[in-house]
Amino acid sequence: MEWPEELINDAKKRMEPYNVEGFVLGKGNEEGDIMIVGEAPGENEAVKGVPFIGRAGDELDKQLSYVGLDREDVYITSVVRSRPYKWVETNKKGSGGKRKGNRKPNQKEIMAHAPLLDYQIQQMKPEVIIALGGVAYERLTGSKGKISEVLGKVIQTPVMKSSTSQGWEKTEESFTIIPLYHPAAVFYNPKIKEDIYESLDHFKNYLEKKEESRRA
Ligand code: URA
């Protein structure tokens, strides 16, 4: 994807006041029609500049393969491009008593990087956007509802984009969004496994129908 340098520089500048590290723009098939939007890079991703290469990435690959996709088929990006961290105490020797722990991005950080995702969506105009987790779902749809209530649903909706004058506004055009749990969610709550696979079945079904109508 061709990026206006100013767009990236401005986003990095707006993020300067916050505790974040690294910068990941996205990776994958930008000529394709499926965009996957995660939350923010984790530690490994922030170091390498590649999305979803840690443990959550392995889980994402597993889930993609379940629906018949692999990374070359999709474009992977996220709401925030730098890893938000907080200092946590540790007893580990040689660490100086603290280490960086992951945390969710806050609203200011989400807004600071919003023009990057706005730009990617406009450039790619994906046929379907997979919102991985509550942060991506709320960022894209503006909904404060629980992701568990919309899991695997095929939702037609304008998406939220940042506006210099009004904060957030809706796009004029409608997009197809399918919300799924963030792949890391199952590590914290193994009980949701059944719901995950049910939502993946919905996604698979959507893909099969899409393929059928492409062939017709
Ligand atoms: N979580 C995300 O949302 N993105 C990554 O790249 C890794 C973990």
Side-chain angles (χ1 to χ4, degrees), residues 97-184:
K98 51 185 197 167
R99 65 171 179 85
K100 288 173 182 171
N102 286 340
R103 62 171 172 83
K104 276 191 190 302
N106 62 41
Q107 283 305 317
K108 286 185 178 156
E109 291 162 342
I110 290 173
M111 185 49 110
H113 277 182
L116 300 170
L117 183 57
D118 296 341
Y119 178 78
Q120 282 174 312
I121 292 173
Q122 284 310 317
Q123 288 295 299
M124 188 175 159
K125 295 207 183 300
E127 240 177 74
V128 58
I129 305 178
I130 304 300
L132 285 184
V135 170
Y137 172 63
E138 182 179 335
R139 155 67 175 91
L140 287 164
T141 64
S143 166
K144 303 244 186 256
K146 281 189 177 165
I147 194 163
S148 55
E149 278 156 25
V150 287
L151 218 53
K153 290 211 161 56
V154 180
I155 303 169
Q156 303 297 333
T157 176
V159 300
M160 303 310 289
K161 63 173 181 173
S162 56
S163 138
T164 38
S165 55
Q166 300 169 47
W168 295 101
E169 63 184 15
K170 288 182 176 165
T171 53
E172 273 169 30
E173 67 269 59
S174 214
F175 290 85
T176 301
I177 312 264
I178 303 182
L180 299 178
Y181 278 133
H182 189 281

XYZ file of all heavy atoms in Angstrom, residues 97-184:
686
model
N 13.294 -4.488 38.589
C 12.060 -4.530 39.363
C 10.799 -4.225 38.579
O 9.702 -4.266 39.105
N 10.942 -3.905 37.300
C 9.710 -3.688 36.527
C 9.872 -4.133 35.075
O 10.983 -4.222 34.555
C 9.255 -2.231 36.602
C 10.316 -1.212 36.286
C 9.782 0.183 36.522
C 10.670 1.209 35.822
N 10.092 2.510 35.732
N 8.714 -4.418 34.489
C 8.710 -4.814 33.075
C 7.492 -4.177 32.404
O 6.584 -3.695 33.084
C 8.667 -6.330 32.938
C 7.376 -6.920 33.469
C 7.231 -8.396 33.127
N 5.986 -8.916 33.684
C 4.792 -8.842 33.079
N 4.675 -8.297 31.882
N 3.699 -9.311 33.671
N 7.502 -4.219 31.080
C 6.363 -3.658 30.348
C 5.299 -4.736 30.170
O 5.606 -5.819 29.665
C 6.811 -3.170 28.977
C 7.642 -1.908 29.024
C 8.184 -1.580 27.647
C 9.063 -0.350 27.714
N 9.774 -0.126 26.448
N 4.089 -4.424 30.589
C 2.981 -5.351 30.380
C 2.046 -4.781 29.323
O 1.991 -3.560 29.140
N 1.318 -5.663 28.642
C 0.345 -5.178 27.647
C -0.834 -4.514 28.327
O -1.169 -4.838 29.464
C -0.203 -6.353 26.827
C 0.807 -6.878 25.829
O 1.764 -6.190 25.473
N 0.602 -8.099 25.388
N -1.457 -3.599 27.651
C -2.740 -3.053 28.113
C -3.564 -2.686 26.880
O -3.030 -2.600 25.764
C -2.541 -1.815 29.007
C -1.874 -0.666 28.287
C -1.862 0.642 29.086
N -1.035 1.626 28.402
C -1.449 2.395 27.408
N -2.690 2.314 26.968
N -0.626 3.244 26.821
N -4.852 -2.469 27.100
C -5.724 -2.063 25.991
C -5.422 -0.624 25.612
O -5.123 0.189 26.499
C -7.185 -2.135 26.437
C -7.784 -3.500 26.308
C -9.292 -3.418 26.521
C -9.912 -4.787 26.634
N -9.686 -5.661 25.491
N -5.548 -0.286 24.331
C -5.373 1.123 23.962
C -6.519 1.962 24.516
O -7.650 1.477 24.614
C -5.422 1.101 22.426
C -6.105 -0.176 22.051
C -5.847 -1.146 23.171
N -6.232 3.206 24.911
C -7.318 4.077 25.387
C -7.891 4.892 24.219
O -7.372 4.857 23.099
C -6.833 4.962 26.542
C -5.708 5.896 26.116
O -5.745 6.473 25.033
N -4.694 6.039 26.963
N -8.961 5.641 24.500
C -9.667 6.366 23.429
C -8.768 7.385 22.715
O -8.872 7.581 21.501
C -10.911 7.072 23.987
C -12.078 6.136 24.235
C -12.482 5.331 22.989
O -12.544 5.849 21.881
N -12.740 4.047 23.170
N -7.885 8.031 23.484
C -6.998 9.029 22.860
C -6.019 8.370 21.898
O -5.720 8.901 20.828
C -6.238 9.802 23.945
C -7.122 10.784 24.658
C -6.345 11.624 25.625
C -7.301 12.625 26.263
N -6.842 13.090 27.549
N -5.541 7.200 22.290
C -4.605 6.471 21.416
C -5.340 5.964 20.167
O -4.791 5.993 19.053
C -3.988 5.300 22.190
C -3.043 5.772 23.292
C -2.738 4.716 24.338
O -3.482 3.711 24.454
O -1.756 4.905 25.075
N -6.575 5.524 20.380
C -7.364 5.032 19.241
C -7.583 6.173 18.243
O -7.432 6.003 17.034
C -8.701 4.422 19.740
C -8.406 3.115 20.491
C -9.667 4.189 18.594
C -9.590 2.486 21.190
N -7.877 7.361 18.779
C -8.087 8.516 17.910
C -6.778 8.944 17.228
O -6.773 9.304 16.053
C -8.685 9.666 18.739
C -9.057 10.895 17.939
S -10.027 10.503 16.470
C -11.617 11.162 16.897
N -5.668 8.871 17.981
C -4.376 9.293 17.418
C -4.028 8.496 16.155
O -3.478 9.039 15.202
C -3.272 9.126 18.472
N -4.381 7.222 16.139
C -4.038 6.390 14.984
C -5.214 6.152 14.034
O -5.057 5.446 13.032
C -3.460 5.046 15.454
C -2.002 5.121 15.769
N -1.260 4.040 16.173
C -1.137 6.179 15.717
C 0.004 4.420 16.360
N 0.094 5.705 16.114
N -6.367 6.743 14.334
C -7.563 6.476 13.528
C -7.379 6.764 12.028
O -7.828 5.979 11.184
C -8.755 7.246 14.087
N -6.710 7.873 11.656
C -6.602 8.155 10.218
C -5.863 7.055 9.437
O -6.043 6.929 8.225
C -5.816 9.475 10.164
C -6.118 10.133 11.471
C -6.187 9.007 12.462
N -5.061 6.244 10.122
C -4.338 5.172 9.427
C -5.310 4.078 8.981
O -5.280 3.622 7.839
C -3.249 4.589 10.338
C -2.190 5.594 10.799
C -1.317 4.978 11.882
C -1.333 6.071 9.635
N -6.179 3.658 9.892
C -7.161 2.632 9.519
C -8.190 3.220 8.540
O -8.597 2.549 7.585
C -7.850 2.065 10.772
C -8.840 0.929 10.527
C -8.189 -0.256 9.801
C -9.452 0.445 11.842
N -8.583 4.490 8.758
C -9.510 5.143 7.809
C -8.935 5.059 6.394
O -9.638 4.724 5.435
C -9.681 6.642 8.134
C -10.318 6.891 9.491
O -10.949 5.976 10.043
O -10.177 8.036 9.991
N -7.645 5.364 6.287
C -6.983 5.378 4.980
C -6.946 3.979 4.368
O -7.257 3.783 3.192
C -5.562 5.938 5.147
C -4.755 5.966 3.868
C -4.957 6.962 2.916
C -3.792 4.987 3.608
C -4.211 6.985 1.735
C -3.046 5.006 2.442
C -3.257 5.999 1.517
O -2.524 6.018 0.353
N -6.586 2.981 5.186
C -6.507 1.611 4.661
C -7.862 1.122 4.172
O -7.950 0.452 3.148
C -5.990 0.655 5.751
C -4.496 0.746 5.924
C -4.006 -0.089 7.092
O -4.566 -0.022 8.186
N -2.972 -0.856 6.875
N -8.903 1.462 4.912
C -10.244 1.021 4.505
C -10.617 1.689 3.181
O -11.135 1.048 2.263
C -11.284 1.319 5.616
C -11.006 0.418 6.824
C -12.708 1.104 5.106
C -11.847 0.731 8.067
N -10.316 2.975 3.046
C -10.654 3.677 1.807
C -9.822 3.182 0.636
O -10.311 3.095 -0.490
C -10.491 5.204 1.978
C -11.620 5.857 2.758
C -13.017 5.472 2.252
O -13.277 5.430 1.048
N -13.932 5.175 3.178
N -8.569 2.843 0.873
C -7.714 2.342 -0.204
C -8.155 0.952 -0.653
O -8.236 0.668 -1.825
C -6.256 2.222 0.285
C -5.545 3.536 0.468
C -5.355 4.265 -0.849
O -4.695 3.767 -1.754
N -5.946 5.427 -0.974
N -8.443 0.119 0.311
C -8.715 -1.281 -0.005
C -10.192 -1.533 -0.323
O -10.517 -2.409 -1.089
C -8.246 -2.147 1.175
C -8.304 -3.615 0.882
S -7.616 -4.572 2.244
C -8.380 -6.151 1.912
N -11.059 -0.782 0.276
C -12.514 -0.996 0.168
C -12.838 -2.499 0.248
O -13.350 -3.096 -0.706
C -13.052 -0.392 -1.125
C -12.929 1.126 -1.168
C -13.982 1.748 -2.045
C -13.855 3.246 -2.167
N -13.952 4.010 -0.935
N -12.533 -3.106 1.380
C -12.733 -4.556 1.493
C -14.202 -4.946 1.423
O -15.064 -4.184 1.855
C -12.168 -4.877 2.889
C -12.191 -3.588 3.626
C -12.028 -2.500 2.621
N -14.438 -6.121 0.874
C -15.821 -6.608 0.817
C -16.301 -6.971 2.204
O -17.482 -6.875 2.514
C -15.850 -7.858 -0.054
C -16.733 -7.711 -1.258
C -16.656 -8.950 -2.104
O -17.225 -9.979 -1.704
O -15.997 -8.876 -3.152
N -15.377 -7.445 3.029
C -15.739 -7.790 4.404
C -14.596 -7.408 5.349
O -13.423 -7.553 5.013
C -16.115 -9.299 4.533
C -14.995 -10.200 4.082
C -16.521 -9.651 5.969
N -14.995 -6.875 6.491
C -14.009 -6.523 7.518
C -14.289 -7.396 8.740
O -15.402 -7.386 9.279
C -14.113 -5.036 7.933
C -14.001 -4.121 6.711
C -13.028 -4.689 8.971
C -14.152 -2.627 7.026
N -13.284 -8.146 9.166
C -13.425 -8.948 10.377
C -12.923 -8.101 11.551
O -11.758 -7.690 11.564
C -12.578 -10.247 10.285
C -12.961 -11.058 9.034
C -12.729 -11.079 11.556
C -14.404 -11.501 8.993
N -13.815 -7.835 12.489
C -13.426 -7.080 13.695
C -13.024 -8.090 14.756
O -13.862 -8.824 15.275
C -14.592 -6.231 14.179
N -11.743 -8.133 15.065
C -11.253 -9.109 16.053
C -11.278 -8.508 17.453
O -10.359 -7.774 17.835
C -9.817 -9.511 15.731
C -9.569 -10.461 14.571
C -8.089 -10.807 14.498
C -10.399 -11.728 14.691
N -12.329 -8.778 18.182
C -12.404 -8.310 19.565
C -13.170 -7.011 19.712
O -13.453 -6.302 18.732
N -13.487 -6.712 20.971
C -14.346 -5.572 21.297
C -13.768 -4.220 20.886
O -14.516 -3.337 20.457
N -12.457 -4.061 21.015
C -11.858 -2.757 20.674
C -12.060 -2.466 19.179
O -12.472 -1.374 18.790
C -10.358 -2.722 21.059
C -9.668 -1.499 20.491
C -10.204 -2.774 22.579
N -11.803 -3.480 18.345
C -11.974 -3.300 16.891
C -13.455 -3.111 16.543
O -13.810 -2.266 15.714
C -11.400 -4.492 16.145
N -14.310 -3.872 17.204
C -15.745 -3.779 16.920
C -16.279 -2.382 17.244
O -16.985 -1.768 16.441
C -16.482 -4.860 17.720
C -17.980 -4.755 17.666
C -18.656 -4.894 16.462
C -18.726 -4.509 18.825
C -20.035 -4.775 16.405
C -20.100 -4.398 18.780
C -20.754 -4.532 17.569
O -22.116 -4.411 17.514
N -15.896 -1.865 18.397
C -16.384 -0.534 18.784
C -15.774 0.553 17.894
O -16.458 1.479 17.462
C -16.051 -0.255 20.260
C -16.573 1.090 20.701
C -16.303 1.410 22.167
O -16.147 0.482 22.976
O -16.254 2.620 22.477
N -14.493 0.432 17.593
C -13.818 1.421 16.732
C -14.489 1.487 15.350
O -14.668 2.546 14.765
C -12.336 1.038 16.607
C -11.598 1.520 15.353
C -11.457 3.032 15.326
N -10.665 3.521 14.219
C -11.146 3.878 13.027
N -12.433 3.768 12.755
N -10.340 4.375 12.093
N -14.861 0.305 14.837
C -15.410 0.270 13.477
C -16.873 0.675 13.428
O -17.289 1.388 12.510
C -15.239 -1.131 12.881
C -13.794 -1.487 12.499
C -13.640 -2.981 12.291
C -13.362 -0.740 11.238
N -17.653 0.224 14.393
C -19.106 0.446 14.294
C -19.602 1.573 15.197
O -20.715 2.055 15.024
C -19.883 -0.827 14.690
O -19.611 -1.105 16.078
C -19.479 -2.017 13.850
N -18.815 1.953 16.168
C -19.262 2.966 17.133
C -20.143 2.361 18.214
O -20.578 3.050 19.132
N -20.422 1.059 18.120
C -21.321 0.428 19.089
C -20.597 0.136 20.406
O -19.470 -0.341 20.428
C -21.835 -0.886 18.504
O -22.424 -1.640 19.529
N -21.317 0.399 21.498
C -20.741 0.081 22.815
C -21.260 -1.265 23.309
O -21.034 -1.660 24.438
C -21.127 1.164 23.842
C -20.700 2.552 23.441
C -19.674 3.104 24.417
C -19.345 4.542 24.133
N -18.062 4.729 23.485
N -21.995 -1.949 22.427
C -22.572 -3.246 22.815
C -21.502 -4.309 23.001
O -20.350 -4.133 22.593
N -21.919 -5.420 23.613
C -20.960 -6.496 23.856
C -20.708 -7.282 22.577
O -21.663 -7.650 21.886
C -21.547 -7.461 24.891
C -21.428 -6.979 26.293
C -21.825 -8.115 27.202
C -21.662 -7.732 28.644
N -22.352 -8.651 29.513
N -19.450 -7.610 22.349
C -19.134 -8.383 21.137
C -19.755 -9.775 21.209
O -20.138 -10.350 20.193
C -17.604 -8.429 20.887
C -17.347 -8.920 19.462
C -16.875 -9.243 21.941
C -15.994 -8.665 18.930
N -19.921 -10.303 22.416
C -20.498 -11.653 22.546
C -21.914 -11.716 21.981
O -22.391 -12.772 21.594
C -20.512 -12.071 24.017
O -21.181 -11.106 24.785
N -22.572 -10.557 21.906
C -23.956 -10.556 21.399
C -24.038 -10.460 19.879
O -25.106 -10.623 19.304
C -24.737 -9.415 22.052
C -25.228 -9.849 23.421
C -25.491 -8.714 24.373
O -25.766 -7.595 23.911
O -25.397 -8.963 25.591
N -22.941 -10.158 19.231
C -22.974 -10.001 17.769
C -21.976 -10.941 17.078
O -21.748 -10.831 15.875
C -22.660 -8.543 17.363
C -23.804 -7.614 17.668
C -21.365 -8.055 18.016
N -21.432 -11.837 17.846
C -20.392 -12.738 17.364
C -20.810 -13.484 16.092
O -21.853 -14.128 16.065
C -20.138 -13.768 18.474
C -18.731 -14.226 18.720
C -17.796 -13.045 18.925
C -18.713 -15.134 19.935
N -20.009 -13.377 15.042
C -20.271 -14.128 13.811
C -21.397 -13.577 12.962
O -21.708 -14.125 11.904
N -22.021 -12.469 13.397
C -23.129 -11.897 12.616
C -22.574 -11.103 11.427
O -21.511 -10.466 11.542
C -23.968 -10.960 13.488
C -24.760 -11.681 14.540
C -26.064 -10.924 14.832
C -27.085 -11.789 15.500
N -26.679 -12.426 16.739
N -23.295 -11.143 10.326
C -22.881 -10.380 9.150
C -23.620 -9.048 9.211
O -24.836 -8.996 9.037
C -23.217 -11.156 7.858
C -22.786 -10.365 6.636
C -22.549 -12.537 7.882
N -22.891 -7.993 9.533
C -23.518 -6.698 9.814
C -23.206 -5.711 8.690
O -22.045 -5.517 8.333
C -22.975 -6.136 11.148
C -23.217 -7.125 12.293
C -23.579 -4.778 11.463
C -22.486 -6.764 13.583
N -24.254 -5.127 8.133
C -24.053 -4.070 7.123
C -24.127 -2.739 7.851
O -25.138 -2.423 8.454
C -25.162 -4.098 6.061
C -25.322 -5.407 5.331
C -24.095 -5.766 4.522
O -23.340 -4.887 4.090
N -23.875 -7.050 4.329
N -23.080 -1.960 7.760
C -23.073 -0.709 8.516
C -22.042 0.275 7.953
O -21.018 -0.158 7.421
C -22.753 -0.997 10.010
O -22.662 0.227 10.729
C -21.446 -1.755 10.192
N -22.333 1.567 8.087
C -21.246 2.515 7.820
C -20.163 2.266 8.860
O -20.455 1.698 9.918
C -21.886 3.883 8.052
C -23.346 3.660 8.203
C -23.560 2.225 8.558
N -18.926 2.646 8.601
C -17.926 2.515 9.654
C -17.556 3.904 10.169
O -17.755 4.907 9.495
C -16.654 1.728 9.213
C -17.012 0.326 8.793
C -15.880 2.459 8.158
N -17.030 3.931 11.382
C -16.642 5.206 11.971
C -15.293 5.636 11.380
O -14.404 4.813 11.180
C -16.492 5.075 13.493
C -17.715 4.571 14.220
S -19.237 5.426 13.796
C -18.953 7.023 14.565
N -15.206 6.926 11.076
C -13.900 7.454 10.655
C -13.635 8.743 11.414
O -14.572 9.408 11.870
C -13.849 7.654 9.143
C -14.816 8.667 8.622
C -14.566 8.912 7.151
C -15.547 9.964 6.658
N -15.336 10.420 5.333
N -12.374 9.081 11.540
C -12.056 10.273 12.323
C -12.276 11.506 11.459
O -12.107 11.486 10.243
C -10.614 10.215 12.805
O -9.752 10.066 11.716
N -12.691 12.568 12.130
C -12.933 13.819 11.430
C -12.273 14.910 12.262
O -12.397 14.924 13.484
C -14.447 14.024 11.330
O -14.794 15.351 11.592
N -11.548 15.804 11.610
C -10.815 16.812 12.379
C -11.760 17.728 13.139
O -11.464 18.181 14.231
C -9.904 17.663 11.463
O -10.601 17.886 10.263
C -8.580 16.981 11.225
N -12.952 17.955 12.570
C -13.857 18.900 13.227
C -14.777 18.245 14.264
O -15.152 18.863 15.244
C -14.691 19.630 12.185
O -15.352 18.682 11.393
N -15.151 16.988 14.020
C -16.201 16.422 14.889
C -15.776 15.208 15.712
O -16.621 14.544 16.300
C -17.381 15.967 14.024
C -18.016 17.065 13.230
C -18.973 16.485 12.212
O -19.787 15.632 12.538
N -18.870 16.915 10.976
N -14.529 14.856 15.706
C -14.130 13.620 16.388
C -14.375 12.421 15.490
O -13.578 12.126 14.618
N -15.535 11.807 15.674
C -15.874 10.656 14.832
C -17.070 10.974 13.950
O -17.979 11.674 14.371
C -16.232 9.447 15.698
C -15.111 8.915 16.521
C -14.900 9.127 17.854
C -14.030 8.077 16.085
N -13.767 8.476 18.261
C -13.213 7.822 17.200
C -13.679 7.516 14.848
C -12.067 7.026 17.126
C -12.535 6.727 14.782
C -11.748 6.494 15.903
N -17.077 10.424 12.744
C -18.272 10.493 11.899
C -18.420 9.179 11.162
O -17.481 8.372 11.137
C -18.190 11.670 10.919
C -17.057 11.559 9.930
C -16.926 12.771 9.014
O -17.518 13.819 9.302
O -16.208 12.639 8.010
N -19.613 8.973 10.571
C -19.838 7.712 9.862
C -19.484 7.860 8.392
O -19.713 8.922 7.810
C -21.316 7.328 9.978
C -21.671 6.867 11.358
C -23.125 6.447 11.416
C -23.416 5.902 12.808
N -24.834 5.787 13.077
N -18.978 6.790 7.793
C -18.729 6.832 6.346
C -20.073 6.871 5.632
O -21.081 6.383 6.152
C -17.968 5.576 5.856
O -18.677 4.411 6.291
C -16.550 5.549 6.399
N -20.071 7.433 4.420
C -21.324 7.444 3.660
C -21.669 6.045 3.191
O -22.829 5.649 3.185
C -21.183 8.378 2.462
C -21.534 9.788 2.861
C -21.167 10.789 1.824
O -21.174 10.460 0.627
O -20.870 11.930 2.240
N -20.644 5.299 2.788
C -20.919 3.960 2.268
C -21.004 2.932 3.400
O -20.482 3.144 4.488
C -19.896 3.551 1.207
C -18.493 3.342 1.715
C -17.613 4.579 1.658
O -17.980 5.604 2.287
O -16.554 4.515 1.032
N -21.667 1.848 3.072
C -21.847 0.777 4.039
C -20.794 -0.305 3.810
O -20.359 -0.521 2.685
C -23.237 0.205 3.772
O -23.800 -0.212 4.949
N -20.402 -0.956 4.878
C -19.446 -2.061 4.782
C -20.042 -3.297 5.448
O -20.984 -3.180 6.234
C -18.136 -1.697 5.495
C -17.341 -0.640 4.779
C -17.611 0.713 4.996
C -16.344 -0.986 3.878
C -16.894 1.694 4.327
C -15.624 -0.014 3.207
C -15.893 1.335 3.433
N -19.467 -4.448 5.140
C -19.881 -5.680 5.812
C -18.858 -5.970 6.914
O -17.671 -6.096 6.636
C -19.901 -6.854 4.806
O -20.813 -6.523 3.769
C -20.335 -8.149 5.475
N -19.372 -6.055 8.141
C -18.489 -6.345 9.279
C -18.908 -7.675 9.901
O -20.103 -7.897 10.130
C -18.641 -5.272 10.387
C -18.582 -3.859 9.837
C -17.668 -5.519 11.538
C -17.260 -3.196 9.907
N -17.947 -8.527 10.173
C -18.226 -9.743 10.956
C -17.370 -9.674 12.223
O -16.146 -9.726 12.144
C -17.923 -11.034 10.160
C -18.730 -11.046 8.857
C -18.244 -12.272 11.016
C -18.549 -12.303 8.017
N -18.010 -9.532 13.385
C -17.234 -9.502 14.634
C -16.885 -10.919 15.108
O -17.728 -11.807 15.097
C -18.189 -8.829 15.642
C -19.385 -8.372 14.854
C -19.437 -9.214 13.624
N -15.648 -11.089 15.497
C -15.188 -12.358 16.087
C -14.433 -12.023 17.364
O -13.936 -10.898 17.513
C -14.234 -13.097 15.135
C -14.773 -13.531 13.767
C -13.646 -14.195 12.958
C -15.948 -14.497 13.895
N -14.294 -12.993 18.244
C -13.450 -12.749 19.416
C -12.007 -12.526 18.976
O -11.553 -13.115 17.982
C -13.474 -13.960 20.358
C -14.670 -14.024 21.287
C -15.379 -15.202 21.442
C -15.062 -12.912 22.015
C -16.471 -15.275 22.315
C -16.140 -12.974 22.880
C -16.840 -14.149 23.018
O -17.903 -14.203 23.872
N -11.290 -11.737 19.757
C -9.850 -11.605 19.524
C -9.218 -12.970 19.768
O -9.600 -13.662 20.722
C -9.273 -10.558 20.491
C -7.864 -10.203 20.170
N -6.812 -11.005 20.538
C -7.331 -9.162 19.488
C -5.686 -10.444 20.099
N -5.982 -9.325 19.455
N -8.270 -13.408 18.933
C -7.713 -14.753 19.114
C -7.112 -14.995 20.492
O -7.082 -16.144 20.957
C -6.627 -14.864 18.032
C -6.688 -13.636 17.228
C -7.752 -12.729 17.749
N -6.653 -13.950 21.160
C -6.055 -14.156 22.491
C -7.116 -14.425 23.554
O -6.793 -14.914 24.640
C -5.213 -12.947 22.894
